[in-house]
Amino acid sequence: MHVLVTGGAGFIGSHVVSALLDAGHEVRVLDALLPEVHGSGWPSSLDERAQRVHADVRSPDAVEQALDGINAVCHQAAMVGLGVDLQDLPLYVGHNDLGTAVLLAAMERAGIGRLVLASSMVVYGEGRYTCTEHGLVRPGPRDEKRLRAGGFEPPCPVCDRPLDPGTVPEDAPLDPRNVYAASKTAQEHLASSWARASGGTAVALRYHNVYGPHMPKDTPYAGVASLFRSALQRGEAPRVFEDGGQRRDFVHVRDVAQANLLAHSAGTPGTLTAYNVASGTPHTVGDLARELAAACHGPEPVVTGQYRLGDVRHVVASAERARDELGFTAQISFQDGVREFATAPLRG
């Protein structure tokens, strides 16, 4: 199979490229090499066996040329992270949604019928919660007055009682709660429309908190693991927002790359199928900060009580569908992955 990987020079994309090449596929990478992500030029972490096209996925001509001879597309190109503020809206919509639309239109013209889309757990918004009185409920928007007072746990929207967080299955309602989440949800809708209209097969991989070698550092769009690691590298204590009790599923990037490899053989023509890509074992943000500080022999984390309205409190995946249908089970434990990450190279 000859696969085009958009955003293949990026953190996750470069690992996906290596996994595909190691499995015997031919790979072409299309990447805009945005300077705020890559500095200057192609990163050294990108596998030398891959063909390289320096172009923007929003350019119809460039995408059409990059698709020549391609059998399947692995769409990783995107602006990532929560965003700084609402002024990021045009960037996210342009890179993520317009870029996806241009790619899908070009795939239809070229007769390419297989897409693997990098989606995200952010499409769920807050995770899955149960109230002892009202059963399964969806918390409302975060209340800033409550957050300022240290009330980080979302209450029942009906009776205001505490909720029990659970695991989120793929058929949970989508509820994007920030700019990035809205753009990723739109990507899924576009891919679903393309699959129905073209008869193509679309698989959306909803990544949970991905970490590992070659994460970008020192950028407001970086993931929390990278921010903690960068602080420790500077000799500073990791700064943990809220009370550190936010539950997440941290999944290693090499496991994510394997999920992408498996996804190229999955799905049903004419539909989009979504899979959570997660370790299946939740940890708190505080757990990550403490484990990483210990592995780096650095200072203990500082819990700041700070918060961001666009964040969610808990979101933890159900990994059953990916296990049963993709045959995907994460292989790298949280402890082993964090120990490796403590000394792994980051992107400057």
Side-chain angles (χ1 to χ4, degrees):
M1 188 166 60
H2 198 167
V3 184
L4 176 69
V5 181
T6 69
F11 162 49
I12 297 174
S14 60
H15 287 273
V16 172
V17 167
S18 293
L20 287 165
L21 287 164
D22 289 344
H25 300 296
E26 295 181 72
V27 178
R28 181 179 299 151
V29 170
L30 183 148
D31 202 296
L33 298 178
L34 298 176
E36 57 266 35
V37 179
H38 298 288
S40 59
W42 293 94
S44 59
S45 56
L46 179 60
D47 199 304
E48 293 182 354
R49 295 172 291 173
Q51 302 172 35
R52 304 181 182 199
V53 178
H54 180 190
D56 195 312
V57 74
R58 295 171 293 180
S59 167
D61 289 343
V63 171
E64 189 165 334
Q65 292 176 27
L67 288 173
D68 184 42
I70 293 294
N71 310 117
V73 175
C74 189
H75 185 32
Q76 305 288 324
M79 284 277 293
V80 300
L82 183 63
V84 176
D85 53 40
L86 286 176
Q87 298 309 306
D88 279 337
L89 264 167
L91 281 174
Y92 278 91
V93 172
H95 284 282
N96 298 358
D97 302 337
L98 175 59
T100 300
V102 169
L103 174 66
L104 294 172
M107 288 176 64
E108 197 276 333
R109 292 194 300 273
I112 299 168
R114 177 165 287 278
L115 172 73
V116 175
L117 170 68
S119 186
S120 171
M121 56 88 174
V122 296
V123 299
Y124 297 122
E126 282 287 353
R128 193 177 183 91
Y129 292 87
T130 304
C131 173
T132 55
E133 177 71 19
H134 298 100
L136 195 63
V137 295
R138 184 185 303 180
R142 303 189 97 190
D143 180 84
E144 190 155 16
K145 183 178 179 181
R146 186 188 290 265
L147 291 169
R148 283 200 302 268
F152 302 119
E153 296 291 342
C156 175
V158 181
C159 66
D160 210 42
R161 291 176 181 167
L163 298 173
D164 294 323
T167 56
V168 186
E170 287 86 350
D171 59 1
L174 304 189
D175 185 22
R177 297 197 174 195
N178 56 56
V179 169
Y180 174 57
S183 72
K184 298 307 286 185
T185 303
Q187 280 188 312
E188 287 201 20
H189 290 321
L190 289 167
S192 180
S193 297
W194 165 83
R196 283 196 302 270
S198 69
T201 301
V203 174
L205 300 179
R206 293 174 180 164
Y207 301 158
H208 283 248
N209 287 69
V210 186
Y211 72 99
H214 307 298
M215 282 189 85
K217 65 177 180 179
D218 298 328
T219 162
Y221 305 99
V224 65
S226 177
L227 295 175
F228 289 166
R229 166 69 198 283
S230 295
L232 287 162
Q233 202 166 28
R234 296 191 300 268
E236 301 170 4
R239 295 178 61 80
V240 180
F241 277 22
E242 301 183 20
D243 59 1
Q246 309 93 304
R247 295 171 75 241
R248 298 289 189 270
D249 189 310
F250 297 98
V251 58
H252 195 278
V253 68
R254 287 198 297 275
D255 282 327
V256 172
Q258 286 304 306
N260 274 270
L261 183 61
L262 292 167
H264 282 282
S265 301
T268 303
T271 65
L272 178 140
T273 307
Y275 295 98
N276 289 324
V277 176
S279 73
T281 304
H283 291 86
T284 68
V285 173
D287 290 340
L288 174 66
R290 287 186 293 272
E291 193 87 17
L292 192 54
C296 291
H297 306 290
E300 285 287 314
V302 174
V303 177
T304 68
Q306 292 172 272
Y307 58 86
R308 298 186 296 182
L309 277 176
D311 274 334
V312 296
R313 179 61 177 175
H314 304 298
V315 57
V316 174
S318 167
E320 292 179 8
R321 181 187 286 181
R323 180 197 64 206
D324 296 343
E325 297 182 15
L326 280 185
F328 169 74
T329 302
Q331 299 299 307
I332 300 172
S333 73
F334 178 73
Q335 291 75 19
D336 288 345
V338 170
R339 278 195 293 270
E340 180 205 25
F341 183 58
T343 57
L346 300 180
R347 294 183 183 221

